[in-house]
């Protein structure tokens, strides 16, 4: 089974911006292969690769025109297989990004579907039967072909929704979830999964996983759909890992996903930590972690076996460094790398790459563009990302003189990079810190600092205390009454102490106690 997931630490690669190997200004697969040793050295043993398939790139590749072909700008299918082989040789697993909710308007299924004559793909997408009749609550694409009807959209106007049926059917043009059309779409998605799993990938991060079935307010139709896919995988590819972009672990883990992300949308209060006006992980000390922890505890109660992942960021949100200073990011990473669930590090967050404001949108990025800038490796041309002339780069790079780079941080023992690396290696050797070990919150009070929790497993118990605020803080609770520190396993920004049940912790610091 997927035992590797129990210890996995992921690295998310946005292929456009990681490493360009041929000087065209856009990252590519051979470039990624050339940096696998870096990822391994950081301590990550799994990769999530954003979509790398044929696409007009109106949404950075989330508008797939052919699920079976790698976009030429990234290389060939052979290059992708080679990435799997090279990654596996280093003990690194690779998840591809599966976009099952929609395709690009350029996909041949859609071109066939637009035709007025009935054909195999007429119901692959969701079409109304009268172009003049507005559709309540769903965006549509209209007047684009001789077919009389409007086509339901999933995201941008160039991303028509694939047809998985409606949970509650209210119009004659809506199919049920077990209609032949909905079943045919599921089979088509299984074929895509089969193809890449056979080629050597280790599973998928699934895009917009929670919204496949329409008019499905409680997600029951979509949950049932994923259960079917999961049982197909259990039969044919029992090793394959499925991770959802859903943002509601109680639903997605029930649906058969191994892990769900907490995200900048959804009910998790993820933004309270790093991305709101007063984030918890800020030395300003005005944040509030309470609602996040309460929701997290509730999700864990419901999620049973599955993993809940708190990513450092991703290609859809502003970077950690947007609101957090380097000091803040150090305490944030103690949290990110000591919580249950597999950690996900968005490329460049390990060096605190900045979010660039006000960039002109590239490939449907809009305000996301500033979080997708090319990786900063060293002091060379384009920070070692590409040999292209700077205005050919996929997205403009951070041009500030003091921009963080891998090379400068690797040489500095106090850098964020080295802290992230130390934390990952600590997680590797301490089972209590790993993905499936337990957690017991000790201190997470409304508008108060610090945050404290015990990570536990049969072999050991560790108390993690994190105080991002610039004030020294202390606390005592029923749970700390008889706690005795047997030593500090890790600290950043100063060491805390436990005496007579009182936990004291310096400003902008975190300590992991052996208890
Ligand atoms: C997901 C992706 C995002 C994309 C959208 C539509 O949220 O992460 O980048 O634009 O889905 O596919």
């Amino acid at each position: 089974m997927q035992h590797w997931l129990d210890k996995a630490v992921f690295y998310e690669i946005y292929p456009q911006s990681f490493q360009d190997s041929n000087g065209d200004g856009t990252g590519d697969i051979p470039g990624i292969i050339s940096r696998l040793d870096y990822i391994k050295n950081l301590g990550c043993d799994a990769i999530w690769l954003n979509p790398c398939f044929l696409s007009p790139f109106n949404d950075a590749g989330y508008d797939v025109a052919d699920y079976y072909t790698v976009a030429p700008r990234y290389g060939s299918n052979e290059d992708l297989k080679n990435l799997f082989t090279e990654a596996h040789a280093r003990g690194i697993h690779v998840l591809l990004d599966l976009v099952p909710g929609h395709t690009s308007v350029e996909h041949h299924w859609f071109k066939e579907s637009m035709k007025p004559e009935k054909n195999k793909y007429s119901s692959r997408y969701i079409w109304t039967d009268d172009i003049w009749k507005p559709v309540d609550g769903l965006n549509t694409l209209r007047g684009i072909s001789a077919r009389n009807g409007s086509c339901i959209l999933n995201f941008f106007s160039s991303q028509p929704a694939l047809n998985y049926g409606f949970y509650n059917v209210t119009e004659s043009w809506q199919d049920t979830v077990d209609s032949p059309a909905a079943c045919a779409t599921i089979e088509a998605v299984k074929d895509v999964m089969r193809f890449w799993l056979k080629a050597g990938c280790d599973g998928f991060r699934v895009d917009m996983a929670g919204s496949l079935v329409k008019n499905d307010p409680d997600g029951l139709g979509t949950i049932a759909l994923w259960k079917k896919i999961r049982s197909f995988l259990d039969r044919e590819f029992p090793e394959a890992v499925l991770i959802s972009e859903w943002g509601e672990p109680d639903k997605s883990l029930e649906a058969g996903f191994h892990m769900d992300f907490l995200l900048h949308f959804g009910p998790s209060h993820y933004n309270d930590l790093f991305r709101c006006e007063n984030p918890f992980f800020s030395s300003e000390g005005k944040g509030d972690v309470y609602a996040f922890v309460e929701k997290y505890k509730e999700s864990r109660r419901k999620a049973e076996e599955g993993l809940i992942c708190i990513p450092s960021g991703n290609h859809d949100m502003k970077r950690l460094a947007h609101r957090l200073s380097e000091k803040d990011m150090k305490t944030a990473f103690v949290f990110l790398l000591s919580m249950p669930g597999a950690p996900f590090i968005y490329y460049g967050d390990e060096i605190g790459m900045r979010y660039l404001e006000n960039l002109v949108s590239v490939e449907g990025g809009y305000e996301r563009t500033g979080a997708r800038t090319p990786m900063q490796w060293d002091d060379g041309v384009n920070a070692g990302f590409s040999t292209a002339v700077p205005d050919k780069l996929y997205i403009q790079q951070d041009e500030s003189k003091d921009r963080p780079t891998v090379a400068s941080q690797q040489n500095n023992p106090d850098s964020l990079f080295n802290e992230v690396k130390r934390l990952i290696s600590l997680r590797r050797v301490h089972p209590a810190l790993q993905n499936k070990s337990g957690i017991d919150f000790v201190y997470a009070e409304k508008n108060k600092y610090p945050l404290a929790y015990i990570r536990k497993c049969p072999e050991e118990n560790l108390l993690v205390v994190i105080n991002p605020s610039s004030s020294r803080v202390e606390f005592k609770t029923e749970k700390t009454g008889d706690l005795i520190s047997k030593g500090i396993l890790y600290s950043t920004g100063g060491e805390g102490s436990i005496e007579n049940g009182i936990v004291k912790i310096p400003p902008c610091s975190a300590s992991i106690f052996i208890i």
Side-chain angles (χ1 to χ4, degrees):
M1 299 300 274
Q2 310 74 10
H3 290 309
W4 63 269
L5 198 56
D6 299 353
K7 292 188 183 172
V9 178
F10 280 82
Y11 194 79
E12 179 192 341
I13 296 181
Y14 184 75
Q16 290 89 321
S17 293
F18 196 54
Q19 180 66 60
D20 172 19
S21 74
N22 60 2
D24 66 358
T26 299
D28 48 45
I29 294 171
I32 296 172
I33 295 174
S34 73
R35 295 294 187 180
L36 286 174
D37 287 334
Y38 166 78
I39 294 167
K40 187 171 169 68
N41 175 268
L42 179 62
C44 294
D45 58 358
I47 289 171
W48 156 27
L49 186 62
N50 292 120
C52 55
F53 309 108
L54 208 65
S55 165
F57 293 103
N58 288 318
D59 185 17
Y62 282 94
D63 46 335
V64 179
D66 176 357
Y67 291 100
Y68 293 99
T69 307
V70 166
R73 71 184 196 182
Y74 299 133
S76 62
N77 283 18
E78 278 316 300
D79 288 321
L80 186 54
K81 288 186 199 164
N82 199 12
L83 169 64
F84 302 147
T85 312
E86 290 290 331
H88 292 161
R90 291 166 176 81
I92 298 174
H93 293 85
V94 183
L95 300 192
L96 294 178
D97 208 318
L98 181 73
V99 189
H102 48 266
T103 67
S104 155
V105 285
E106 291 191 11
H107 197 291
H108 81 93
W109 296 344
F110 190 68
K111 291 184 180 160
E112 289 300 309
S113 196
M114 282 195 295
K115 293 182 179 163
E117 306 82 33
K118 211 167 169 40
N119 63 59
K120 192 176 163 198
Y121 300 104
S122 298
S123 305
R124 178 56 48 92
Y125 300 81
I126 309 168
W127 290 87
T128 69
D129 51 8
D130 180 354
I131 192 168
W132 304 113
K133 216 173 139 193
V135 185
D136 253 7
L138 292 168
N139 294 324
T140 59
L141 197 56
R142 304 167 60 231
I144 46 159
S145 77
R147 178 171 177 166
N148 180 21
S150 304
C151 186
I152 308 298
L153 290 168
N154 230 25
F155 199 66
F156 288 152
S157 307
S158 57
Q159 290 162 308
L162 286 162
N163 184 10
Y164 296 92
F166 284 67
Y167 191 68
N168 297 313
V169 172
T170 56
E171 302 280 346
S172 58
W173 49 265
Q174 298 175 349
D175 287 313
T176 58
V177 285
D178 48 13
S179 59
C183 295
T185 311
I186 296 177
E187 289 310 312
V189 167
K190 284 188 198 166
D191 285 344
V192 172
M193 296 174 101
R194 230 180 240 121
F195 180 83
W196 288 112
L197 287 166
K198 280 191 180 155
C201 87
D202 299 289
F204 303 93
R205 172 269 188 187
V206 179
D207 188 65
M208 291 177 68
S211 60
L212 298 191
V213 172
K214 304 302 181 208
N215 204 358
D216 183 21
D218 300 318
L220 297 178
T222 302
I223 291 173
L225 184 160
W226 283 111
K227 280 187 172 165
K228 282 188 204 159
I229 295 189
R230 177 62 191 275
S231 65
F232 139 74
L233 288 176
D234 285 346
R235 252 187 342 267
E236 292 187 31
F237 301 95
E239 305 280 317
V241 162
L242 267 192
I243 300 181
S244 52
E245 184 201 32
W246 196 315
E248 290 178 83
D250 36 329
K251 291 185 181 153
S252 91
L253 301 178
E254 191 202 332
F257 283 90
H258 298 103
M259 181 157 86
D260 189 27
F261 290 106
L262 303 187
L263 292 163
H264 51 303
F265 58 83
S268 71
H269 289 271
Y270 172 82
N271 282 345
D272 299 2
L273 305 180
F274 320 108
R275 287 177 176 78
C276 62
E277 205 183 322
N278 290 308
F280 180 76
F281 287 98
S282 160
S283 59
E284 287 182 14
K286 295 184 194 151
D288 188 359
V289 77
Y290 177 77
F292 171 85
V293 169
E294 286 306 301
K295 187 70 198 170
Y296 182 86
K297 288 198 278 195
E298 182 192 321
S299 300
R300 263 182 80 86
R301 271 195 300 276
K302 293 190 194 158
E304 292 177 6
E305 277 294 277
L307 297 172
I308 300 175
C309 166
I310 309 164
S312 72
N314 71 24
H315 60 288
D316 291 332
M317 47 178 125
K318 293 181 180 170
R319 283 193 180 268
L320 270 188
H322 179 55
R323 292 228 179 245
L324 309 192
S325 67
E326 182 167 341
K327 244 191 222 166
D328 299 339
M329 286 189 277
K330 284 185 173 175
T331 54
F333 267 107
V334 174
F335 169 77
L336 291 165
L337 292 167
S338 69
M339 284 291 283
F344 267 70
I345 299 172
Y346 181 49
Y347 82 95
D349 279 352
E350 72 277 22
I351 54 167
M353 262 174 66
R354 296 174 185 139
Y355 171 76
L356 296 200
E357 304 273 359
N358 302 322
L359 293 187
V360 174
S361 175
V362 173
E363 296 188 345
Y366 302 95
E367 87 290 348
R368 304 176 294 181
T369 305
R372 299 174 173 185
T373 60
M375 182 67 176
Q376 294 151 205
W377 295 102
D378 55 36
D379 289 340
V381 181
N382 303 316
F385 164 68
S386 168
T387 55
V389 289
D391 53 347
K392 275 261 165 85
L393 295 190
Y394 169 71
I395 295 174
Q396 169 196 325
Q397 235 167 355
D398 181 353
E399 276 156 7
S400 41
K401 282 222 167 65
D402 63 346
R403 67 183 173 194
T405 64
V406 169
S408 63
Q409 294 209 5
Q410 274 177 331
N411 293 331
N412 171 5
D414 291 333
S415 66
L416 183 62
F417 172 88
N418 277 315
E419 161 147 337
V420 169
K421 195 174 158 176
R422 279 194 294 274
L423 283 163
I424 298 175
S425 59
L426 198 70
R427 191 175 174 105
R428 290 247 167 271
V429 294
H430 283 279
L433 293 175
Q434 287 166 6
N435 305 359
K436 286 207 163 157
S437 296
I439 184 164
D440 189 5
F441 286 93
V442 172
Y443 193 85
E445 299 296 312
K446 227 174 170 0
N447 295 314
K448 294 242 173 83
Y449 286 76
L451 168 66
Y453 45 89
I454 295 173
R455 295 296 319 276
K456 52 186 184 185
C457 67
E459 295 90 333
E460 57 179 358
N461 284 345
L462 302 174
L463 172 70
V464 182
V465 187
I466 311 175
N467 176 23
S469 83
S470 56
S471 313
R472 183 182 174 81
V473 289
E474 56 180 65
F475 70 94
K476 184 176 182 174
T477 72
E478 269 171 28
K479 288 184 182 170
T480 62
D482 48 8
L483 275 189
I484 292 175
S485 166
K486 297 181 192 150
I488 292 186
L489 189 65
Y490 187 86
S491 70
T492 181
E495 289 194 349
S497 64
I498 310 176
E499 272 165 50
N500 305 324
I502 303 173
V503 180
K504 295 185 179 167
I505 180 108
C508 305
S509 79
S511 293
I512 304 181
F513 299 91
I514 306 169
I515 52 168

